[in-house]
Amino acid sequence: MANISIIPSGDFKTSYGTDTTIFPTKTSRNFAILGVVLLLACPAFMDRYWLSLLIQIGYLGIAALGLNILVGFTGQISIGHSAFFGFGAFASAWLNNSVGVPVALAIPLAGVVTTLVGLLFGMPAARLKGLYLAIATLAAQYILQDFFARADWFTGGTAGTIAEPLTLFGFAFDTDESYFYVVLVAMVVMYLLATNLMRTRDGRALVAVRDHYLSAEIMGINLTKYRTMSFGISAFYAGIGGALYAHYLQFVSVEGFTILFSIQFLGMIIIGGLGSIMGTLMGTAFMVFLPEAMQALTKLVSGTAIDTALNLKDNIAFLREMSIGLVIILFLVFEPDGLAHRWKQIKAYWKLYPFSH
C-alpha cells in the first residue's frame, strides 16, 4: 500500500508515541473535528432523503471496516461478510424481542454474539489460504443464509422479524433526525477503536501476517491465532453494523443478506483502499451514492435519442446494477490502491506545488 505523508518542515517526532499518533498534524486533527461538528449539524438543514443516505453510510461503513481489517490489514479473504451482517441484525432483534434485553444493550451484545459465530467459522478457515479460504467463507455465507430461512425461533423464517426502535431514558430514536446521531456516535467510536487497534502490538501483528506470513511466523507471531482473531474482529464490526441496520429499518428479512451484498462490501473496501481506515469510509460513501447517481442518470437517459438508438427500453434500469461491477473493475485496473491513495496524492501535490518533488 503506497503511503505518502508530507510533514511540515521542523515538525520532528521525538518518541514512538508521537510517531504513531492518529493525526500526523494539528491541521488534520482540526479538520477531523470540524467534520464531526458539521455532521452534527446535518439534521438541521438536510431532508430525510439525504439523512437516510448518511445513515446508510454509517452502518455500512462500520461493517465494511470490519471486512477491511480482515482483508486489507490481515491479508485474508471473505466473500460471506453480508451473512455476518445479517446475523448481527437478527441477533439484536432476537435479544430484544425474545430475551427482553433493551435495544441499547442488544446492539453491542449482537456484536459479541456475531463475534462468536465469526470465530466458529474462522478457526478452520484460519488454516486455509487463497482459493480454499474463499470457498470456506462462501460456505459460511450459504450456511448462515440457510439458517436464517429455517430458524423461525431466531429470525422469524421467511416472514422476517420486527426490530423495535432504540429507546433511551424514555426517548425513542425512531426518526431519521434522531437515529442519525446514534449511528454517528457508533461510527466515530468504532473507527477510533480500529485506528487504535492498528497502533497496538496485535494490530502490527495483523499487518505482519499480511505482508509476509513466513517472516511473521519466524518472528514468533502465531499465524492461526491472529488469522482467527481477524475473523472475530471482522464479525464483531459486521454484527454492530447489522444491529444498527435492523433498528433503523425496524424490520429484518432474510432476503437482504445475499452473496451480492457480500460482493458490495468487497467493492467498498477495494474502491476506498485496502488497508486504509479512512479509505473504508470513502469507499462506502462512493458505493452508497453510486446507485443514486445512476438512478438519476437512467431517468435522464430514458426516452431520449440515446435510449432509442441503443434499444435499451426496460433494460435501462439494470444500468444501476451494472455500474457497481464496472466501477470495481475500473478501480482494480486504474486505481488499485483506492480513493484513499488518490486523496493522499492530491494532498501531496498541493503541499509540494509548484515543485514536482
Side-chain angles (χ1 to χ4, degrees):
M1 311 296 170
N3 186 20
I4 299 175
S5 179
I6 308 299
I7 304 298
S9 177
D11 190 351
F12 299 105
K13 303 297 176 64
T14 57
S15 68
Y16 185 77
T18 56
D19 190 53
T20 58
T21 183
I22 296 177
F23 302 107
T25 63
K26 291 181 180 179
T27 302
S28 61
R29 181 193 62 194
N30 293 336
F31 269 105
I33 295 173
L34 177 62
V36 173
V37 171
L38 291 176
L39 285 174
L40 289 172
C42 284
F45 60 87
M46 283 188 174
D47 59 24
R48 293 185 61 186
Y49 170 75
W50 290 105
L51 283 177
S52 175
L53 293 180
L54 291 179
I55 291 171
Q56 288 182 54
I57 292 171
Y59 61 69
L60 292 177
I62 292 172
L65 180 57
L67 183 61
N68 210 349
I69 291 173
L70 177 66
V71 178
F73 286 100
T74 316
Q76 303 297 94
I77 183 65
S78 175
I79 49 179
H81 199 63
S82 71
F84 296 105
F85 182 85
F87 193 92
F90 283 118
S92 186
W94 177 76
L95 286 168
N96 177 244
N97 296 334
S98 301
V99 184
V101 178
V103 175
L105 292 178
I107 292 174
L109 283 177
V112 174
V113 174
T114 310
T115 301
L116 297 177
V117 176
L119 291 173
L120 179 65
F121 286 101
M123 282 188 285
R127 299 184 180 274
L128 305 174
K129 59 182 180 179
L131 179 62
Y132 301 100
L133 177 59
I135 296 300
T137 59
L138 181 63
Q141 168 77 37
Y142 285 110
I143 289 171
L144 289 176
Q145 273 189 248
D146 188 66
F147 172 75
F148 294 157
R150 297 176 185 273
D152 292 353
W153 60 272
F154 184 71
T155 65
T158 55
T161 186
I162 298 295
E164 297 295 330
L166 172 64
T167 303
L168 276 177
F169 307 110
F171 180 79
F173 294 86
D174 54 358
T175 64
D176 288 349
E177 291 79 9
S178 59
Y179 200 76
F180 171 80
Y181 291 112
V182 175
V183 174
L184 178 61
V185 170
M187 186 187 73
V188 171
V189 170
M190 298 300 286
Y191 270 71
L192 284 175
L193 287 175
T195 303
N196 283 302
L197 171 65
M198 293 302 117
R199 300 162 64 205
T200 64
R201 177 186 177 89
D202 290 332
R204 293 192 295 273
L206 294 176
V207 175
V209 172
R210 177 199 70 192
D211 289 344
H212 204 292
Y213 70 93
L214 288 177
S215 299
E217 191 171 24
I218 291 171
M219 293 170 62
I221 295 174
N222 188 325
L223 299 183
T224 302
K225 170 189 172 182
Y226 283 102
R227 284 171 175 168
T228 305
M229 180 191 294
S230 68
F231 272 98
I233 295 171
S234 174
F236 176 74
Y237 274 77
I240 296 294
L244 291 169
Y245 158 84
H247 296 289
Y248 172 59
L249 294 185
Q250 300 177 24
F251 180 79
V252 192
S253 175
V254 298
E255 288 84 4
F257 312 110
T258 63
I259 183 67
L260 295 178
F261 197 16
S262 293
I263 298 301
Q264 287 185 27
F265 275 121
L266 282 173
M268 291 173 194
I269 63 173
I270 290 172
I271 291 171
L274 294 173
S276 170
I277 292 176
M278 178 185 69
T280 303
L281 195 57
M282 297 172 70
T284 304
F286 188 94
M287 289 292 285
V288 169
F289 287 126
L290 177 63
E292 305 304 319
M294 290 305 301
Q295 184 175 6
L297 179 62
T298 53
K299 287 182 179 179
L300 188 66
V301 173
S302 180
T304 63
I306 298 176
D307 186 8
T308 305
L310 297 179
N311 196 29
L312 295 175
K313 297 182 180 178
D314 296 334
N315 296 324
I316 197 168
F318 292 99
L319 291 176
R320 183 176 177 179
E321 284 73 23
M322 291 170 55
S323 64
I324 296 175
L326 178 62
V327 166
I328 292 175
I329 293 173
L330 291 176
F331 267 88
L332 286 172
V333 174
F334 297 106
E335 194 58 81
D337 289 330
L339 293 172
H341 174 66
R342 179 57 55 187
W343 172 243
K344 289 177 181 178
Q345 286 187 320
I346 292 171
K347 288 196 300 182
Y349 172 82
W350 287 109
K351 284 180 179 179
L352 295 171
Y353 185 84
F355 305 104
S356 60
H357 59 280

PDB file of all heavy atoms in Angstrom, residues 161-174:
ATOM      1  N   THR A 161     -38.588 -10.599  10.853  1.00  0.00           N
ATOM      2  CA  THR A 161     -38.878 -10.268  12.249  1.00  0.00           C
ATOM      3  C   THR A 161     -38.874  -8.752  12.449  1.00  0.00           C
ATOM      4  O   THR A 161     -38.227  -8.018  11.702  1.00  0.00           O
ATOM      5  CB  THR A 161     -37.848 -10.922  13.191  1.00  0.00           C
ATOM      6  OG1 THR A 161     -38.226 -10.694  14.544  1.00  0.00           O
ATOM      7  CG2 THR A 161     -36.455 -10.338  12.975  1.00  0.00           C
ATOM      8  N   ILE A 162     -39.587  -8.319  13.461  1.00  0.00           N
ATOM      9  CA  ILE A 162     -39.677  -6.906  13.801  1.00  0.00           C
ATOM     10  C   ILE A 162     -38.505  -6.523  14.705  1.00  0.00           C
ATOM     11  O   ILE A 162     -38.115  -7.279  15.591  1.00  0.00           O
ATOM     12  CB  ILE A 162     -41.003  -6.590  14.520  1.00  0.00           C
ATOM     13  CG1 ILE A 162     -42.189  -6.907  13.603  1.00  0.00           C
ATOM     14  CG2 ILE A 162     -41.055  -5.124  14.959  1.00  0.00           C
ATOM     15  CD1 ILE A 162     -42.273  -6.054  12.368  1.00  0.00           C
ATOM     16  N   ALA A 163     -37.934  -5.363  14.492  1.00  0.00           N
ATOM     17  CA  ALA A 163     -36.882  -4.821  15.358  1.00  0.00           C
ATOM     18  C   ALA A 163     -37.392  -3.504  15.942  1.00  0.00           C
ATOM     19  O   ALA A 163     -37.709  -2.569  15.196  1.00  0.00           O
ATOM     20  CB  ALA A 163     -35.587  -4.602  14.572  1.00  0.00           C
ATOM     21  N   GLU A 164     -37.492  -3.455  17.235  1.00  0.00           N
ATOM     22  CA  GLU A 164     -38.010  -2.264  17.901  1.00  0.00           C
ATOM     23  C   GLU A 164     -37.013  -1.106  17.806  1.00  0.00           C
ATOM     24  O   GLU A 164     -35.794  -1.311  17.749  1.00  0.00           O
ATOM     25  CB  GLU A 164     -38.291  -2.560  19.381  1.00  0.00           C
ATOM     26  CG  GLU A 164     -39.355  -3.615  19.609  1.00  0.00           C
ATOM     27  CD  GLU A 164     -40.719  -3.169  19.113  1.00  0.00           C
ATOM     28  OE1 GLU A 164     -40.982  -1.945  19.134  1.00  0.00           O
ATOM     29  OE2 GLU A 164     -41.514  -4.042  18.699  1.00  0.00           O
ATOM     30  N   PRO A 165     -37.505   0.142  17.782  1.00  0.00           N
ATOM     31  CA  PRO A 165     -36.592   1.292  17.729  1.00  0.00           C
ATOM     32  C   PRO A 165     -35.820   1.446  19.041  1.00  0.00           C
ATOM     33  O   PRO A 165     -36.264   1.011  20.106  1.00  0.00           O
ATOM     34  CB  PRO A 165     -37.531   2.476  17.495  1.00  0.00           C
ATOM     35  CG  PRO A 165     -38.855   2.021  18.016  1.00  0.00           C
ATOM     36  CD  PRO A 165     -38.921   0.548  17.754  1.00  0.00           C
ATOM     37  N   LEU A 166     -34.667   2.055  18.950  1.00  0.00           N
ATOM     38  CA  LEU A 166     -33.845   2.316  20.125  1.00  0.00           C
ATOM     39  C   LEU A 166     -34.524   3.354  21.014  1.00  0.00           C
ATOM     40  O   LEU A 166     -34.990   4.387  20.540  1.00  0.00           O
ATOM     41  CB  LEU A 166     -32.463   2.817  19.688  1.00  0.00           C
ATOM     42  CG  LEU A 166     -31.524   3.311  20.785  1.00  0.00           C
ATOM     43  CD1 LEU A 166     -31.156   2.183  21.732  1.00  0.00           C
ATOM     44  CD2 LEU A 166     -30.266   3.922  20.168  1.00  0.00           C
ATOM     45  N   THR A 167     -34.560   3.061  22.315  1.00  0.00           N
ATOM     46  CA  THR A 167     -35.147   3.980  23.289  1.00  0.00           C
ATOM     47  C   THR A 167     -34.172   4.177  24.450  1.00  0.00           C
ATOM     48  O   THR A 167     -33.666   3.195  25.006  1.00  0.00           O
ATOM     49  CB  THR A 167     -36.486   3.449  23.828  1.00  0.00           C
ATOM     50  OG1 THR A 167     -37.373   3.214  22.733  1.00  0.00           O
ATOM     51  CG2 THR A 167     -37.120   4.447  24.776  1.00  0.00           C
ATOM     52  N   LEU A 168     -33.907   5.429  24.789  1.00  0.00           N
ATOM     53  CA  LEU A 168     -33.031   5.759  25.912  1.00  0.00           C
ATOM     54  C   LEU A 168     -33.725   6.775  26.810  1.00  0.00           C
ATOM     55  O   LEU A 168     -34.128   7.846  26.340  1.00  0.00           O
ATOM     56  CB  LEU A 168     -31.704   6.331  25.421  1.00  0.00           C
ATOM     57  CG  LEU A 168     -30.605   5.336  25.012  1.00  0.00           C
ATOM     58  CD1 LEU A 168     -29.386   6.083  24.484  1.00  0.00           C
ATOM     59  CD2 LEU A 168     -30.221   4.425  26.160  1.00  0.00           C
ATOM     60  N   PHE A 169     -33.890   6.426  28.090  1.00  0.00           N
ATOM     61  CA  PHE A 169     -34.495   7.324  29.074  1.00  0.00           C
ATOM     62  C   PHE A 169     -35.858   7.843  28.611  1.00  0.00           C
ATOM     63  O   PHE A 169     -36.189   9.022  28.765  1.00  0.00           O
ATOM     64  CB  PHE A 169     -33.563   8.491  29.389  1.00  0.00           C
ATOM     65  CG  PHE A 169     -32.189   8.054  29.799  1.00  0.00           C
ATOM     66  CD1 PHE A 169     -31.093   8.269  28.975  1.00  0.00           C
ATOM     67  CD2 PHE A 169     -31.984   7.404  31.007  1.00  0.00           C
ATOM     68  CE1 PHE A 169     -29.832   7.860  29.346  1.00  0.00           C
ATOM     69  CE2 PHE A 169     -30.716   6.991  31.398  1.00  0.00           C
ATOM     70  CZ  PHE A 169     -29.638   7.212  30.574  1.00  0.00           C
ATOM     71  N   GLY A 170     -36.620   6.958  27.969  1.00  0.00           N
ATOM     72  CA  GLY A 170     -37.954   7.314  27.530  1.00  0.00           C
ATOM     73  C   GLY A 170     -38.029   8.004  26.182  1.00  0.00           C
ATOM     74  O   GLY A 170     -39.118   8.246  25.673  1.00  0.00           O
ATOM     75  N   PHE A 171     -36.871   8.301  25.579  1.00  0.00           N
ATOM     76  CA  PHE A 171     -36.865   8.969  24.263  1.00  0.00           C
ATOM     77  C   PHE A 171     -36.615   7.933  23.181  1.00  0.00           C
ATOM     78  O   PHE A 171     -35.629   7.197  23.222  1.00  0.00           O
ATOM     79  CB  PHE A 171     -35.782  10.046  24.212  1.00  0.00           C
ATOM     80  CG  PHE A 171     -35.718  10.772  22.897  1.00  0.00           C
ATOM     81  CD1 PHE A 171     -36.611  11.781  22.592  1.00  0.00           C
ATOM     82  CD2 PHE A 171     -34.757  10.421  21.949  1.00  0.00           C
ATOM     83  CE1 PHE A 171     -36.551  12.440  21.379  1.00  0.00           C
ATOM     84  CE2 PHE A 171     -34.685  11.078  20.740  1.00  0.00           C
ATOM     85  CZ  PHE A 171     -35.589  12.089  20.444  1.00  0.00           C
ATOM     86  N   ALA A 172     -37.496   7.869  22.194  1.00  0.00           N
ATOM     87  CA  ALA A 172     -37.384   6.895  21.108  1.00  0.00           C
ATOM     88  C   ALA A 172     -36.652   7.509  19.917  1.00  0.00           C
ATOM     89  O   ALA A 172     -37.043   8.563  19.413  1.00  0.00           O
ATOM     90  CB  ALA A 172     -38.768   6.418  20.689  1.00  0.00           C
ATOM     91  N   PHE A 173     -35.615   6.822  19.485  1.00  0.00           N
ATOM     92  CA  PHE A 173     -34.864   7.257  18.296  1.00  0.00           C
ATOM     93  C   PHE A 173     -35.485   6.581  17.079  1.00  0.00           C
ATOM     94  O   PHE A 173     -34.899   5.682  16.469  1.00  0.00           O
ATOM     95  CB  PHE A 173     -33.388   6.874  18.437  1.00  0.00           C
ATOM     96  CG  PHE A 173     -32.669   7.605  19.541  1.00  0.00           C
ATOM     97  CD1 PHE A 173     -32.697   7.118  20.846  1.00  0.00           C
ATOM     98  CD2 PHE A 173     -31.966   8.771  19.280  1.00  0.00           C
ATOM     99  CE1 PHE A 173     -32.035   7.781  21.864  1.00  0.00           C
ATOM    100  CE2 PHE A 173     -31.300   9.441  20.293  1.00  0.00           C
ATOM    101  CZ  PHE A 173     -31.339   8.943  21.594  1.00  0.00           C
ATOM    102  N   ASP A 174     -36.689   7.028  16.721  1.00  0.00           N
ATOM    103  CA  ASP A 174     -37.444   6.380  15.653  1.00  0.00           C
ATOM    104  C   ASP A 174     -37.619   7.263  14.427  1.00  0.00           C
ATOM    105  O   ASP A 174     -38.445   6.976  13.562  1.00  0.00           O
ATOM    106  CB  ASP A 174     -38.810   5.933  16.174  1.00  0.00           C
ATOM    107  CG  ASP A 174     -39.591   7.071  16.822  1.00  0.00           C
ATOM    108  OD1 ASP A 174     -39.056   8.192  16.901  1.00  0.00           O
ATOM    109  OD2 ASP A 174     -40.739   6.837  17.248  1.00  0.00           O
TER     110      ASP A 174
END
